[in-house]
């Protein structure tokens, strides 16, 4: 199937972002097993990305790119609130109330939320095949988690609210970043710097007030190295790829491509944790790959 140049570039960038995000799940299992609060990992990722993006601009002699106007600063704050505070923090908090299966199934409705929002925020109408891909992804996640319909009906209200905030965060960041990139020249490094500056400030305030920092004393040199790897791949590289992808493809399509993260997570878990995928997980990954193939089709190719 021949794809347009923008679809090829944007799709490749989105898949790279998904691959980097896929590393987070198996690594987070190791960190959590050491009794480290995953909110601490999220804050570390954000601070690492803040430092790395700032260092890149400093070394390259392009500190002037950090001088932004009020409109751009407001956009960066919104991105930080959506991507770091809501998407990251909301998902982690939902796990305190929901089963992993419930949290993941709700979380991966974000492509459908992005598809719906794209008609209003970016004025980019999704195709019927892309809408179908969104529902196929949900079916793939439900299949992969091996849960019955009954297990997803009784969802605690608090857990649902946190999970819904995470969905709003991940779809909102995609829509806002895409909307801004249509009318402005975007700078991925500056976006990474400011979105993580604002987002980490929100999470640090929350953790300081409601959870504390006692778990930080349990971070060993080995865990610090693992957390640094996760921060570099799962935040610095992944969001850089993701924001770059939104220059070429609509937010809805980027969100559909990013569900490849699940396939990567299942594969890496089998490789590094020694947990072979079950038949249900294999079937779920197959459905997700089908959905990504559907999302890559353009209207011209389906006439």
């Amino acid at each position: 199937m021949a794809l347009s140049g923008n679809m090829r570039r944007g799709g490749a960038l989105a898949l790279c972002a998904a691959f980097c995000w896929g590393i987070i799940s198996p690594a987070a299992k190791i960190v959590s097993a050491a009794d480290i609060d995953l909110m601490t990992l999220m804050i570390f990722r954000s601070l690492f990305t803040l430092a790395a993006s700032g260092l890149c601009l400093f070394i390259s002699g392009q500190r002037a790119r950090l001088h932004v106007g009020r409109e751009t600063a407001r956009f960066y704050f919104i991105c930080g609130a959506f991507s770091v505070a809501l998407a990251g923090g909301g998902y982690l908090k939902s796990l305190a109330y929901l089963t992993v299966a419930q949290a993941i199934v709700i979380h991966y409705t974000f492509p459908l939320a992005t598809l719906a929002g794209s008609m209003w925020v970016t004025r980019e109408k999704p195709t019927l095949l892309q809408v179908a891909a969104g529902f196929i992804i949900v079916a793939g996640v439900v299949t992969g988690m091996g849960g019955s319909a009954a297990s997803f009906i009784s969802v605690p209200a608090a857990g649902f609210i946190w999970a819904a905030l995470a969905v709003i965060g991940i779809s909102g960041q995609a829509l806002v970043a895409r909307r801004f990139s249509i009318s402005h020249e975007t700078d991925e490094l500056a976006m990474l710097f400011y979105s993580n500056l604002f987002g980490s400030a929100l999470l640090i305030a929350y953790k300081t007030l409601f959870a504390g920092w006692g778990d930080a004393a349990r971070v060993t040199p080995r865990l610090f190295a693992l957390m640094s790897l996760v921060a570099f791949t799962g935040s610095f590289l992944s969001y850089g790829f993701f924001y770059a992808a939104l220059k070429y493809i609509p937010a809805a399509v980027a969100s559909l491509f990013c569900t490849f993260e699940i396939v990567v997570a299942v594969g890496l878990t089998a490789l590094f944790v020694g947990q072979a995928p079950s038949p249900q997980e294999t079937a779920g990954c197959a459905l997700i790959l089908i959905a990504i193939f559907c999302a890559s089709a353009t209207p011209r190719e389906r006439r």
Side-chain angles (χ1 to χ4, degrees):
M1 178 174 60
L3 302 179
S4 66
N6 281 347
M7 181 63 78
R8 284 197 300 272
R9 286 189 289 271
L13 289 166
L15 287 175
C16 286
F19 183 87
C20 292
W21 275 321
I23 296 172
I24 296 174
S25 293
K29 289 184 179 182
I30 298 173
V31 174
S32 180
D35 203 22
I36 305 296
D37 186 354
L38 290 181
M39 185 68 76
T40 301
L41 175 60
M42 185 68 213
I43 292 171
F44 180 85
R45 287 170 51 194
S46 186
L47 291 175
F48 182 99
T49 304
L50 170 65
S53 55
L55 184 62
C56 286
L57 289 171
F58 181 83
I59 292 176
S60 62
Q62 301 181 72
R63 284 171 289 176
R65 291 160 63 181
L66 293 176
H67 298 160
V68 297
R70 183 176 300 177
E71 181 187 7
T72 304
R74 184 167 57 247
F75 159 67
Y76 289 152
F77 176 81
I78 293 172
C79 277
F82 275 138
S83 64
V84 179
L86 289 182
Y91 177 73
L92 293 176
K93 287 297 297 180
S94 72
L95 291 173
Y97 304 94
L98 306 176
T99 66
V100 174
Q102 290 171 333
I104 290 178
V105 168
I106 296 174
H107 184 71
Y108 280 97
T109 61
F110 79 84
L112 289 175
T114 310
L115 285 162
S118 64
M119 293 186 288
W120 173 58
V121 178
T122 63
R123 299 293 192 271
E124 293 173 312
K125 185 177 179 180
T127 67
L128 289 177
L129 198 54
Q130 289 165 359
V131 174
F135 284 102
I136 292 172
I137 285 167
V138 174
V141 175
V142 173
T143 300
M145 295 309 301
S148 62
S151 64
F152 300 112
I153 293 176
S154 300
V155 177
F160 178 80
I161 291 171
W162 281 112
L165 287 174
V167 171
I168 292 171
I170 194 167
S171 59
Q173 64 154 339
L175 291 167
V176 170
R178 174 62 177 174
R179 173 69 179 268
F180 193 82
S181 69
I182 291 174
S183 55
H184 297 75
E185 184 72 25
T186 54
D187 185 326
E188 288 81 14
L189 281 176
M191 287 175 69
L192 286 172
F193 181 87
Y194 280 111
S195 63
N196 283 279
L197 173 66
F198 295 130
S200 61
L202 293 172
L203 286 185
I204 288 171
Y206 177 87
K207 183 170 173 59
T208 301
L209 291 173
F210 298 104
W213 294 91
D215 61 311
R218 292 187 285 274
V219 177
T220 63
R222 176 177 173 271
L223 286 174
F224 182 84
L226 178 62
M227 291 167 66
S228 298
L229 173 64
V230 172
F232 178 68
T233 57
S235 288
F236 181 69
L237 290 182
S238 60
Y239 277 103
F241 285 134
F242 183 68
Y243 290 143
L246 291 170
K247 292 181 178 181
Y248 302 104
I249 56 178
V253 177
S255 295
L256 290 167
F257 271 88
C258 284
T259 58
F260 184 63
E261 169 192 355
I262 303 177
V263 180
V264 175
V266 170
L268 291 180
T269 298
L271 182 62
F272 294 113
V273 183
Q275 181 179 328
S278 66
Q280 292 91 345
E281 288 175 327
T282 302
C285 288
L287 286 173
I288 290 169
L289 291 174
I290 291 171
I292 292 173
F293 180 82
C294 293
S296 68
T298 61
R300 179 178 298 177
E301 293 166 329
R302 295 195 309 278
R303 288 173 183 167

